[in-house]
Every structure is written in structure tokens, then in C-alpha cells.
Amino acid sequence: MTGWTAVVPVKPWTLSKTRLALPGDARERLARAFALDTLDTLVESRHVTSIVVVTAEPEMAAAAAGVPGTVVREDRPMLSRDHLNAAIRLGRSWAVGRRPGAPVVVVPSDLPAMRPEDLDEALVALGRHDRAHVVDADGHGTTLVAAARPALLRTAYGRGSGATHRRQGSTIELDVDPRVRRDVDLPEHLEQARHLGLRPHALAVVDALVARVGAA
């Protein structure tokens, strides 16, 4: 199945990856790198036709301005207690109005090892179902969530989201590359993603951090 719409919720850098204990502004630089790598992966994907970036981060909005799709700006992103799912609903609304018959996938901006070919293979697998999701590498959370059309898309990101999505009628899809399942919230996740192979922006930031630690 081709012609996918990808919805990408992106927090402002200063609000992202707060559980990564990194020196100085490294956390913000890493969040930025993750998001830019995600955008590059989507642009290079053979199956993604339209990209909907939902963000209040000006730099991300500027970076996404030239890609096929749109930028949906969040004015006050942290007013909602359920910010991530609220952002996704904004992207879903855009897709319902503009591409109602196209398959849609939510792509979090913290899959720094995922390559375009990994995403494309995952989309083929997810496209076999009306609604499906990919559980994260730890088996409890969720990375990708997909639906055959935007009206069917429903997300429940948060604690235990893998099981919640399943209870909501979404099919678990495990026939994906490990890079699609390795999101990054904790330092050990970053090390695992590094072992899988980071994409260029994230690799540059992590290499600089390693060099700084080695020189200390």
C-alpha cells in the first residue's frame, strides 16, 4: 500500500526528552536531531506521499515547510494533559479533510535508528490491517500507529499504550525491523539505538557528546 499520510507530532526542543540526563543543552540538541532525522526518513520513504508535522517549535516548522504536506502549528502545546494524543488529533483532522481515503500512520519523532527502508517495510505490514500498531522494543509502549483511512485512526500514547491500543481493536504488528521499535526515552534506549545505527543528525550529536566525555 502506497500513498500514506504521515502524522508527526513534535514537541518544542526545550520540552522534549526530559528523562535523558545530558549535560548543557545536549538534550535539546538531541531532540532536534531526532526530529530532523525523522523528517528526512519520511521524505526519503517510497510509500509516504504527504507529511503532516504538528508542532509549536519554530525551527521544526521552518524545516518542514518545504516537504510534501503541511505544518499544523500548535499555539499552546502544553495546555492539554494529553498533549501527544491531542497533537495527533490535529494532524488527523487535517488528513480527514484533505486526504480522507489515504492510509495514515503516526510516526513519533524519537526513532533515531529507523531508516526509510525500515519504515517502508513496516508500512507494508501495517497496511494489511484496518487499524494496527507497532509495540516498542520494551513491549509496553507504542511506536507507529496506522489506519486504512484517517477516520479510523485512534491513538492512546502514554503508559501501557501497547495494551491500550490492542484493547481498542488495533492489531499488533511485529513483522518490522528492530529499528522501528526502538524509541528513546531513557539513556539505555539511546545506547541501544546507537548500537542499531543512528541516522546522521542524531549520530553527529551523540558522537560530539562521546568526544566531550572522552576529553573530560
Side-chain angles (χ1 to χ4, degrees):
M1 185 184 294
T2 59
W4 286 78
T5 300
V7 175
V8 190
V10 181
K11 284 184 180 180
W13 314 142
T14 56
L15 301 176
S16 299
K17 299 300 150 196
T18 54
R19 288 187 284 172
L20 291 178
L22 296 172
D25 66 347
R27 177 176 57 82
E28 289 88 345
R29 290 191 289 112
L30 198 59
R32 173 184 180 275
F34 286 178
L36 294 178
D37 281 330
T38 299
L39 189 61
D40 288 346
T41 295
L42 291 167
V43 169
E44 295 166 25
S45 165
R46 294 182 294 110
H47 295 335
V48 173
T49 298
S50 187
I51 303 166
V52 185
V53 175
V54 185
T55 189
E57 171 56 56
E59 188 177 0
M60 188 63 189
V67 305
T70 193
V71 175
V72 177
R73 295 178 183 269
E74 294 180 278
D75 293 330
R76 305 175 76 181
M78 298 311 292
L79 286 183
S80 170
R81 290 185 178 181
D82 190 19
H83 165 258
L84 181 56
N85 294 301
I88 292 165
R89 286 192 290 272
L90 290 175
R92 174 185 176 273
S93 294
W94 184 94
V96 166
R98 274 89 170 173
R99 307 190 76 233
V104 60
V105 60
V106 178
V107 182
S109 62
D110 64 346
L111 300 171
M114 184 177 70
R115 305 166 302 180
E117 57 267 34
D118 303 324
L119 175 61
D120 285 337
E121 290 173 3
L123 292 178
V124 170
L126 291 165
R128 302 182 188 125
H129 315 283
D130 281 345
R131 295 175 59 213
H133 66 284
V134 175
V135 294
D136 66 12
D138 298 330
H140 304 295
T142 306
T143 58
L144 308 183
V145 177
R149 58 185 184 277
L152 296 177
L153 183 67
R154 184 178 180 187
T155 63
Y157 285 99
R159 187 181 297 274
S161 63
T164 303
H165 284 124
R166 187 182 68 242
R167 288 195 298 270
Q168 291 178 344
S170 178
T171 299
I172 296 175
E173 182 53 70
L174 296 175
D175 186 19
V176 300
D177 189 279
R179 296 172 183 86
V180 180
R181 299 184 63 189
R182 183 63 283 163
D183 54 355
V184 174
D185 290 311
L186 300 171
E188 56 265 33
H189 297 164
L190 181 58
E191 182 57 34
Q192 292 162 13
R194 187 182 177 202
H195 178 74
L196 290 169
L198 295 171
R199 294 280 283 162
H201 291 286
L203 180 61
V205 173
V206 171
D207 281 352
L209 284 171
V210 171
R212 182 189 305 177
V213 171

